[in-house]
mmCIF file of all heavy atoms in Angstrom:
data_model
loop_
_atom_site.group_PDB
_atom_site.id
_atom_site.type_symbol
_atom_site.label_atom_id
_atom_site.label_comp_id
_atom_site.label_asym_id
_atom_site.label_seq_id
_atom_site.Cartn_x
_atom_site.Cartn_y
_atom_site.Cartn_z
ATOM 1 N N TYR A 33 91.652 75.258 92.948
ATOM 2 C CA TYR A 33 92.288 74.934 94.213
ATOM 3 C C TYR A 33 91.268 75.073 95.305
ATOM 4 O O TYR A 33 90.440 76.043 95.272
ATOM 5 C CB TYR A 33 93.478 75.855 94.599
ATOM 6 C CG TYR A 33 94.526 75.997 93.534
ATOM 7 C CD1 TYR A 33 94.368 76.776 92.497
ATOM 8 C CD2 TYR A 33 95.752 75.311 93.693
ATOM 9 C CE1 TYR A 33 95.384 76.922 91.504
ATOM 10 C CE2 TYR A 33 96.769 75.428 92.839
ATOM 11 C CZ TYR A 33 96.562 76.269 91.706
ATOM 12 O OH TYR A 33 97.555 76.398 90.759
ATOM 13 N N TYR A 35 90.637 75.344 99.515
ATOM 14 C CA TYR A 35 91.257 75.637 100.798
ATOM 15 C C TYR A 35 90.228 75.646 101.917
ATOM 16 O O TYR A 35 89.027 76.000 101.721
ATOM 17 C CB TYR A 35 91.923 77.036 100.778
ATOM 18 C CG TYR A 35 93.066 77.158 99.882
ATOM 19 C CD1 TYR A 35 92.992 77.419 98.492
ATOM 20 C CD2 TYR A 35 94.426 76.932 100.362
ATOM 21 C CE1 TYR A 35 94.088 77.453 97.635
ATOM 22 C CE2 TYR A 35 95.491 76.989 99.550
ATOM 23 C CZ TYR A 35 95.328 77.266 98.199
ATOM 24 O OH TYR A 35 96.416 77.378 97.415
ATOM 25 N N GLN A 37 89.594 77.250 105.703
ATOM 26 C CA GLN A 37 90.004 78.223 106.645
ATOM 27 C C GLN A 37 89.342 78.047 107.976
ATOM 28 O O GLN A 37 88.112 78.156 108.036
ATOM 29 C CB GLN A 37 89.858 79.613 106.178
ATOM 30 C CG GLN A 37 90.422 80.736 107.110
ATOM 31 C CD GLN A 37 90.245 82.104 106.571
ATOM 32 O OE1 GLN A 37 89.260 82.408 105.978
ATOM 33 N NE2 GLN A 37 91.203 82.964 106.863
ATOM 34 N N LEU A 43 94.686 78.783 106.978
ATOM 35 C CA LEU A 43 94.312 78.410 105.593
ATOM 36 C C LEU A 43 95.082 77.238 105.162
ATOM 37 O O LEU A 43 96.297 77.219 105.057
ATOM 38 C CB LEU A 43 94.682 79.570 104.694
ATOM 39 C CG LEU A 43 93.603 80.637 104.539
ATOM 40 C CD1 LEU A 43 94.206 81.956 104.019
ATOM 41 C CD2 LEU A 43 92.522 80.136 103.500
ATOM 42 N N PHE A 45 95.621 74.119 102.414
ATOM 43 C CA PHE A 45 95.368 73.635 101.097
ATOM 44 C C PHE A 45 94.787 72.176 101.099
ATOM 45 O O PHE A 45 95.280 71.361 101.863
ATOM 46 C CB PHE A 45 96.678 73.613 100.307
ATOM 47 C CG PHE A 45 96.684 72.851 99.026
ATOM 48 C CD1 PHE A 45 95.921 73.369 97.930
ATOM 49 C CD2 PHE A 45 97.348 71.675 98.834
ATOM 50 C CE1 PHE A 45 95.881 72.678 96.722
ATOM 51 C CE2 PHE A 45 97.263 70.990 97.608
ATOM 52 C CZ PHE A 45 96.603 71.491 96.541
ATOM 53 N N GLN A 48 94.011 70.230 94.465
ATOM 54 C CA GLN A 48 94.139 71.079 93.214
ATOM 55 C C GLN A 48 93.703 70.123 92.029
ATOM 56 O O GLN A 48 94.052 69.019 91.887
ATOM 57 C CB GLN A 48 95.498 71.547 92.932
ATOM 58 C CG GLN A 48 95.590 72.294 91.609
ATOM 59 C CD GLN A 48 97.053 72.389 91.133
ATOM 60 O OE1 GLN A 48 97.947 71.968 91.785
ATOM 61 N NE2 GLN A 48 97.238 73.034 89.959
ATOM 62 N N ARG A 55 95.693 67.273 90.447
ATOM 63 C CA ARG A 55 97.149 67.668 90.312
ATOM 64 C C ARG A 55 97.926 67.529 91.617
ATOM 65 O O ARG A 55 99.061 67.111 91.604
ATOM 66 C CB ARG A 55 97.183 69.075 89.766
ATOM 67 C CG ARG A 55 98.584 69.600 89.580
ATOM 68 C CD ARG A 55 99.420 68.927 88.569
ATOM 69 N NE ARG A 55 98.860 68.943 87.205
ATOM 70 C CZ ARG A 55 99.107 69.883 86.343
ATOM 71 N NH1 ARG A 55 99.846 71.003 86.756
ATOM 72 N NH2 ARG A 55 98.665 69.848 85.153
ATOM 73 N N ALA A 56 97.235 67.808 92.697
ATOM 74 C CA ALA A 56 97.940 67.775 93.932
ATOM 75 C C ALA A 56 96.925 67.684 95.101
ATOM 76 O O ALA A 56 95.776 68.110 95.008
ATOM 77 C CB ALA A 56 98.794 69.087 94.209
ATOM 78 N N PHE A 90 87.201 77.895 100.715
ATOM 79 C CA PHE A 90 87.556 78.802 99.604
ATOM 80 C C PHE A 90 87.924 77.938 98.469
ATOM 81 O O PHE A 90 88.645 77.001 98.481
ATOM 82 C CB PHE A 90 88.645 79.729 99.931
ATOM 83 C CG PHE A 90 88.320 80.851 100.862
ATOM 84 C CD1 PHE A 90 88.662 80.860 102.173
ATOM 85 C CD2 PHE A 90 87.513 81.913 100.371
ATOM 86 C CE1 PHE A 90 88.341 81.931 103.036
ATOM 87 C CE2 PHE A 90 87.059 82.914 101.269
ATOM 88 C CZ PHE A 90 87.564 82.959 102.602
ATOM 89 N N ARG A 97 101.145 79.545 85.785
ATOM 90 C CA ARG A 97 101.837 78.670 86.811
ATOM 91 C C ARG A 97 102.386 79.555 87.964
ATOM 92 O O ARG A 97 103.393 80.121 87.922
ATOM 93 C CB ARG A 97 103.017 77.963 86.149
ATOM 94 C CG ARG A 97 102.611 76.948 85.179
ATOM 95 C CD ARG A 97 103.756 76.155 84.650
ATOM 96 N NE ARG A 97 103.288 74.901 84.050
ATOM 97 C CZ ARG A 97 104.040 73.858 83.854
ATOM 98 N NH1 ARG A 97 105.319 73.917 84.153
ATOM 99 N NH2 ARG A 97 103.514 72.782 83.249
ATOM 100 N N GLY A 98 101.517 79.556 89.035
ATOM 101 C CA GLY A 98 102.020 80.194 90.235
ATOM 102 C C GLY A 98 102.237 81.583 90.251
ATOM 103 O O GLY A 98 102.950 82.186 91.071
ATOM 104 N N VAL A 99 101.520 82.361 89.336
ATOM 105 C CA VAL A 99 101.703 83.788 89.390
ATOM 106 C C VAL A 99 100.426 84.530 89.687
ATOM 107 O O VAL A 99 100.464 85.607 90.229
ATOM 108 C CB VAL A 99 102.184 84.237 87.926
ATOM 109 C CG1 VAL A 99 102.287 85.727 87.780
ATOM 110 C CG2 VAL A 99 103.518 83.569 87.608
ATOM 111 N N TYR A 101 96.365 84.066 91.119
ATOM 112 C CA TYR A 101 95.266 83.340 91.665
ATOM 113 C C TYR A 101 94.115 84.224 91.968
ATOM 114 O O TYR A 101 94.277 85.336 92.517
ATOM 115 C CB TYR A 101 95.651 82.622 92.975
ATOM 116 C CG TYR A 101 96.903 81.740 92.855
ATOM 117 C CD1 TYR A 101 98.126 82.303 92.919
ATOM 118 C CD2 TYR A 101 96.733 80.383 92.757
ATOM 119 C CE1 TYR A 101 99.278 81.489 92.836
ATOM 120 C CE2 TYR A 101 97.869 79.553 92.582
ATOM 121 C CZ TYR A 101 99.101 80.104 92.700
ATOM 122 O OH TYR A 101 100.211 79.324 92.644
ATOM 123 N N PHE A 103 90.436 84.288 94.106
ATOM 124 C CA PHE A 103 89.623 83.538 95.165
ATOM 125 C C PHE A 103 88.214 83.907 94.990
ATOM 126 O O PHE A 103 87.830 85.040 94.703
ATOM 127 C CB PHE A 103 90.128 83.912 96.505
ATOM 128 C CG PHE A 103 91.397 83.153 96.944
ATOM 129 C CD1 PHE A 103 92.617 83.525 96.446
ATOM 130 C CD2 PHE A 103 91.249 81.996 97.750
ATOM 131 C CE1 PHE A 103 93.784 82.859 96.829
ATOM 132 C CE2 PHE A 103 92.383 81.355 98.111
ATOM 133 C CZ PHE A 103 93.624 81.773 97.638
ATOM 134 N N GLY A 104 87.347 82.903 95.290
ATOM 135 C CA GLY A 104 85.952 83.145 95.505
ATOM 136 C C GLY A 104 85.678 83.664 96.900
ATOM 137 O O GLY A 104 86.597 83.832 97.668
ATOM 138 N N SER B 32 107.184 82.175 93.936
ATOM 139 C CA SER B 32 106.597 83.483 93.874
ATOM 140 C C SER B 32 105.978 83.853 95.223
ATOM 141 O O SER B 32 105.546 82.970 95.956
ATOM 142 C CB SER B 32 105.459 83.464 92.831
ATOM 143 O OG SER B 32 106.030 83.233 91.553
ATOM 144 N N PHE B 34 103.500 86.392 97.745
ATOM 145 C CA PHE B 34 102.277 87.131 97.727
ATOM 146 C C PHE B 34 101.924 87.743 99.078
ATOM 147 O O PHE B 34 102.270 87.092 100.125
ATOM 148 C CB PHE B 34 101.089 86.269 97.300
ATOM 149 C CG PHE B 34 101.349 85.499 95.976
ATOM 150 C CD1 PHE B 34 102.043 84.381 95.993
ATOM 151 C CD2 PHE B 34 100.780 85.978 94.859
ATOM 152 C CE1 PHE B 34 102.264 83.661 94.759
ATOM 153 C CE2 PHE B 34 100.912 85.248 93.605
ATOM 154 C CZ PHE B 34 101.733 84.137 93.574
ATOM 155 N N TYR B 36 98.093 88.640 100.622
ATOM 156 C CA TYR B 36 96.658 88.717 100.427
ATOM 157 C C TYR B 36 96.057 89.411 101.648
ATOM 158 O O TYR B 36 96.560 89.417 102.741
ATOM 159 C CB TYR B 36 96.117 87.320 100.387
ATOM 160 C CG TYR B 36 96.250 86.668 99.026
ATOM 161 C CD1 TYR B 36 97.366 85.976 98.624
ATOM 162 C CD2 TYR B 36 95.231 86.789 98.046
ATOM 163 C CE1 TYR B 36 97.512 85.397 97.429
ATOM 164 C CE2 TYR B 36 95.382 86.258 96.791
ATOM 165 C CZ TYR B 36 96.533 85.533 96.524
ATOM 166 O OH TYR B 36 96.727 84.979 95.286
ATOM 167 N N GLN B 38 92.269 90.009 103.736
ATOM 168 C CA GLN B 38 90.951 89.596 103.975
ATOM 169 C C GLN B 38 90.165 90.506 104.875
ATOM 170 O O GLN B 38 90.528 90.677 106.035
ATOM 171 C CB GLN B 38 90.941 88.175 104.609
ATOM 172 C CG GLN B 38 89.581 87.516 104.735
ATOM 173 C CD GLN B 38 89.593 86.075 105.261
ATOM 174 O OE1 GLN B 38 90.530 85.745 106.052
ATOM 175 N NE2 GLN B 38 88.697 85.314 104.902
ATOM 176 N N GLY B 43 86.206 87.349 101.202
ATOM 177 C CA GLY B 43 87.232 86.431 100.740
ATOM 178 C C GLY B 43 88.613 87.068 100.675
ATOM 179 O O GLY B 43 88.792 88.151 101.202
ATOM 180 N N LEU B 44 89.527 86.375 100.070
ATOM 181 C CA LEU B 44 90.898 86.816 99.975
ATOM 182 C C LEU B 44 91.095 87.669 98.745
ATOM 183 O O LEU B 44 90.737 87.257 97.615
ATOM 184 C CB LEU B 44 91.803 85.639 99.945
ATOM 185 C CG LEU B 44 91.865 84.824 101.274
ATOM 186 C CD1 LEU B 44 92.373 83.449 100.919
ATOM 187 C CD2 LEU B 44 92.790 85.451 102.198
ATOM 188 N N LYS B 49 102.326 91.166 94.727
ATOM 189 C CA LYS B 49 103.071 89.936 94.528
ATOM 190 C C LYS B 49 104.504 90.308 93.926
ATOM 191 O O LYS B 49 104.692 91.379 93.399
ATOM 192 C CB LYS B 49 102.354 88.984 93.592
ATOM 193 C CG LYS B 49 102.219 89.494 92.197
ATOM 194 C CD LYS B 49 101.341 88.540 91.306
ATOM 195 C CE LYS B 49 101.333 89.132 89.860
ATOM 196 N NZ LYS B 49 100.336 88.304 89.018
ATOM 197 N N PHE B 89 97.697 88.116 104.935
ATOM 198 C CA PHE B 89 98.256 86.826 104.768
ATOM 199 C C PHE B 89 99.503 86.886 103.823
ATOM 200 O O PHE B 89 99.350 87.347 102.655
ATOM 201 C CB PHE B 89 97.305 85.750 104.258
ATOM 202 C CG PHE B 89 96.172 85.412 105.183
ATOM 203 C CD1 PHE B 89 95.067 86.087 105.119
ATOM 204 C CD2 PHE B 89 96.393 84.442 106.085
ATOM 205 C CE1 PHE B 89 93.952 85.790 105.927
ATOM 206 C CE2 PHE B 89 95.289 84.099 106.920
ATOM 207 C CZ PHE B 89 94.105 84.770 106.856
ATOM 208 N N SER B 93 104.107 80.379 96.346
ATOM 209 C CA SER B 93 103.711 79.177 95.459
ATOM 210 C C SER B 93 105.006 78.890 94.616
ATOM 211 O O SER B 93 105.854 79.618 94.400
ATOM 212 C CB SER B 93 102.605 79.610 94.517
ATOM 213 O OG SER B 93 103.037 80.462 93.472
ATOM 214 N N SER B 99 104.901 70.416 89.152
ATOM 215 C CA SER B 99 103.724 71.088 88.586
ATOM 216 C C SER B 99 102.663 71.491 89.635
ATOM 217 O O SER B 99 101.545 71.804 89.341
ATOM 218 C CB SER B 99 103.150 70.052 87.611
ATOM 219 O OG SER B 99 102.781 68.859 88.299
ATOM 220 N N ASN B 100 103.109 71.420 90.923
ATOM 221 C CA ASN B 100 102.167 71.801 91.944
ATOM 222 C C ASN B 100 102.330 73.237 92.353
ATOM 223 O O ASN B 100 103.399 73.672 92.898
ATOM 224 C CB ASN B 100 102.366 70.921 93.173
ATOM 225 C CG ASN B 100 101.556 71.274 94.363
ATOM 226 O OD1 ASN B 100 100.709 72.183 94.260
ATOM 227 N ND2 ASN B 100 101.745 70.620 95.463
ATOM 228 N N TYR B 101 101.418 74.097 91.999
ATOM 229 C CA TYR B 101 101.514 75.535 92.279
ATOM 230 C C TYR B 101 100.536 75.992 93.308
ATOM 231 O O TYR B 101 100.028 77.058 93.320
ATOM 232 C CB TYR B 101 101.348 76.333 90.970
ATOM 233 C CG TYR B 101 102.587 76.155 90.140
ATOM 234 C CD1 TYR B 101 102.656 75.100 89.177
ATOM 235 C CD2 TYR B 101 103.698 76.915 90.281
ATOM 236 C CE1 TYR B 101 103.744 74.956 88.340
ATOM 237 C CE2 TYR B 101 104.857 76.743 89.432
ATOM 238 C CZ TYR B 101 104.819 75.804 88.464
ATOM 239 O OH TYR B 101 105.942 75.608 87.748
ATOM 240 N N LYS B 102 100.321 75.187 94.311
ATOM 241 C CA LYS B 102 99.394 75.499 95.359
ATOM 242 C C LYS B 102 99.991 76.625 96.127
ATOM 243 O O LYS B 102 101.234 76.884 96.226
ATOM 244 C CB LYS B 102 99.158 74.336 96.321
ATOM 245 C CG LYS B 102 100.375 73.952 97.142
ATOM 246 C CD LYS B 102 99.993 72.765 98.011
ATOM 247 C CE LYS B 102 101.271 72.272 98.765
ATOM 248 N NZ LYS B 102 101.703 73.203 99.792
ATOM 249 N N LEU B 103 99.135 77.527 96.790
ATOM 250 C CA LEU B 103 99.598 78.554 97.638
ATOM 251 C C LEU B 103 99.776 77.992 99.069
ATOM 252 O O LEU B 103 98.899 77.265 99.611
ATOM 253 C CB LEU B 103 98.609 79.689 97.711
ATOM 254 C CG LEU B 103 98.584 80.623 96.557
ATOM 255 C CD1 LEU B 103 97.296 81.480 96.523
ATOM 256 C CD2 LEU B 103 99.829 81.541 96.587
ATOM 257 N N PHE B 105 100.204 79.376 102.866
ATOM 258 C CA PHE B 105 99.925 80.611 103.588
ATOM 259 C C PHE B 105 100.567 80.658 104.945
ATOM 260 O O PHE B 105 100.774 79.642 105.632
ATOM 261 C CB PHE B 105 98.413 80.779 103.773
ATOM 262 C CG PHE B 105 97.693 81.145 102.542
ATOM 263 C CD1 PHE B 105 97.150 80.146 101.779
ATOM 264 C CD2 PHE B 105 97.500 82.511 102.221
ATOM 265 C CE1 PHE B 105 96.435 80.476 100.633
ATOM 266 C CE2 PHE B 105 96.726 82.743 101.035
ATOM 267 C CZ PHE B 105 96.228 81.795 100.281
#
Side-chain angles (χ1 to χ4, degrees):
Chain A
Y33 306 78
Y35 291 84
Q37 184 179 32
L43 272 158
F45 167 69
Q48 176 201 358
R55 176 64 63 86
F90 285 107
R97 294 188 162 196
V99 175
Y101 304 82
F103 279 79
Chain B
S32 296
F34 306 82
Y36 281 87
Q38 185 176 31
L44 293 157
K49 67 183 180 189
F89 292 92
S93 75
S99 58
N100 177 2
Y101 289 90
K102 68 177 176 71
L103 281 165
F105 287 91

